[in-house]
């Protein structure tokens, strides 16, 4: 189904009774609601299962360089990730070497993290400060790379903001219902005030549509066994 940004905003406005069927609101009102839509979409990827899949990007490492900025103006010039979920190095023979995604505490406690060199086995991602002139994060690798491997990362990224009411919405159809009813919930107080609750039927549709998306996108992790011995293991005696 092909829809424009204006279509989905008007759909949401009709749900809450802000406009009548076939009515077109003033442009300034539509632009205000466009801002509300972009704010809502910007927060949606914070919930992992709102995403159908992760965004992948690659970058060739520089020997001796352990940190790389990432963002539209960064060394890795892509939209700044919300979170890096998986990463690996691909060597010159096309073999892959998985990287552990570690926390800041883990990174800071790594002895020799900016001195020791070799093939990195861990990655720490700092998204940077909340308020920046240009949104940039930084990727740190441990140990310092001694090979010009290819870094491949899978990341959660924010949805692209819409710049115009005439822009086509390229989401899968199953996302349109969630956008329609959740935007309606966001717009409700703008038209009815904060003292009047969102009707239960609208709130239920908003919650149900998001739940359906999350259920559809959820993955079942594979269980791993941490036992390293090849000998029979006695679970009672250890």
């Amino acid at each position: 189904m092909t829809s424009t940004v204006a279509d989905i905003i008007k759909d949401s406005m009709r749900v809450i009774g802000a406009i009548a069927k076939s009515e077109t609101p003033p442009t300034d009102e539509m632009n205000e609601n466009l801002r509300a839509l972009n704010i809502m979409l910007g927060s949606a990827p914070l919930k992992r299962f709102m995403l159908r899949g992760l965004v992948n990007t690659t970058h060739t490492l520089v020997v001796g360089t352990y940190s790389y900025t990432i963002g539209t103006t960064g060394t890795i010039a892509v939209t700044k990730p919300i979170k890096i979920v998986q990463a690996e190095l691909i060597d010159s023979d096309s073999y892959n070497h998985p990287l552990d995604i570690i926390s800041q505490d883990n990174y800071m406690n790594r002895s020799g993290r900016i001195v020791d060199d070799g093939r990195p086995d861990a990655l720490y991602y700092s998204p940077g400060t909340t308020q920046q002139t240009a949104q940039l994060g930084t990727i740190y690798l441990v140990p310092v790379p001694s090979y010009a491997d290819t870094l491949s990362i899978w990341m959660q990224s924010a949805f692209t903001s819409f710049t115009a009411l005439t822009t086509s919405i390229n989401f899968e159809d199953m996302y349109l219902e969630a956008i329609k009813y959740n935007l309606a919930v966001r717009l409700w107080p703008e038209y009815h005030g904060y003292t009047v609750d969102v009707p239960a039927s609208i709130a239920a549709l908003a919650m149900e549509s998001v739940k359906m998306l999350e259920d559809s996108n959820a993955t079942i992790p594979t269980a791993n066994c941490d036992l390293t011995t090849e000998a029979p293991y006695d679970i009672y005696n250890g």
Side-chain angles (χ1 to χ4, degrees):
M1 178 186 298
T2 301
S3 298
T4 64
V5 174
D7 290 333
I8 201 72
I9 291 175
K10 287 188 287 186
D11 285 348
S12 298
M13 294 177 69
R14 279 193 293 271
V15 166
I16 61 174
I19 59 173
K21 188 175 182 179
S22 301
E23 181 183 352
T24 299
T27 301
D28 60 342
E29 187 176 351
M30 289 290 286
N31 283 327
E32 289 176 1
N33 293 339
L34 170 59
R35 287 195 293 273
L37 173 61
N38 280 331
I39 291 171
M40 183 185 77
L41 291 177
S43 64
L46 296 176
K47 302 177 70 174
R48 167 67 183 88
F49 294 131
M50 282 296 291
L51 303 174
R52 168 70 71 224
L54 302 172
V55 178
N56 175 247
T57 192
T58 60
H59 182 76
T60 302
L61 300 182
V62 176
V63 173
T65 300
Y66 65 89
S67 67
Y68 299 83
T69 56
I70 182 167
T72 53
T73 60
T75 304
I76 305 176
V78 296
T79 301
K80 188 185 85 169
I82 295 172
K83 181 179 181 180
I84 292 177
V85 178
Q86 292 178 313
E88 66 179 358
L89 296 177
I90 303 172
D91 64 26
S92 57
D93 294 321
S94 297
Y95 284 98
N96 64 304
H97 306 268
L99 294 171
D100 291 330
I101 307 299
I102 60 176
S103 66
Q104 181 179 359
D105 285 346
N106 190 311
Y107 175 73
M108 297 300 293
N109 287 327
R110 292 284 292 259
S111 176
R113 63 180 180 274
I114 61 174
V115 177
D116 297 340
D117 61 359
R119 175 165 282 123
D121 56 29
L123 177 152
Y124 161 57
Y125 172 59
S126 169
T129 57
T130 302
Q131 190 172 8
Q132 301 176 353
T133 302
Q135 285 291 327
L136 283 175
T138 306
I139 289 172
Y140 298 91
L141 298 171
V142 187
V144 179
S146 56
Y147 305 95
D149 292 334
T150 297
L151 172 66
S152 180
I153 60 174
W154 285 263
M155 55 193 179
Q156 289 177 226
S157 293
F159 292 131
T160 302
S161 296
F162 295 116
T163 57
L165 294 167
T166 55
T167 302
S168 295
I169 291 181
N170 296 319
F171 287 102
E172 296 173 334
D173 289 350
M174 64 185 300
Y175 280 83
L176 298 182
E177 183 177 45
I179 294 171
K180 172 182 174 178
Y181 286 104
N182 281 275
L183 180 59
V185 170
R186 295 288 185 104
L187 295 180
W188 176 268
E190 300 289 337
Y191 291 93
H192 301 281
Y194 287 89
T195 60
V196 181
D197 291 338
V198 177
S201 58
I202 298 175
L205 285 168
M207 293 177 61
E208 181 183 1
S209 60
V210 169
K211 182 65 165 55
M212 289 174 63
L213 278 176
E214 292 179 336
D215 288 347
S216 174
N217 294 341
T219 56
I220 300 175
T222 302
N224 294 314
C225 179
D226 294 330
L227 300 180
T228 57
T229 179
E230 294 182 359
Y233 189 80
D234 187 339
I235 63 173
Y236 299 104
N237 299 315

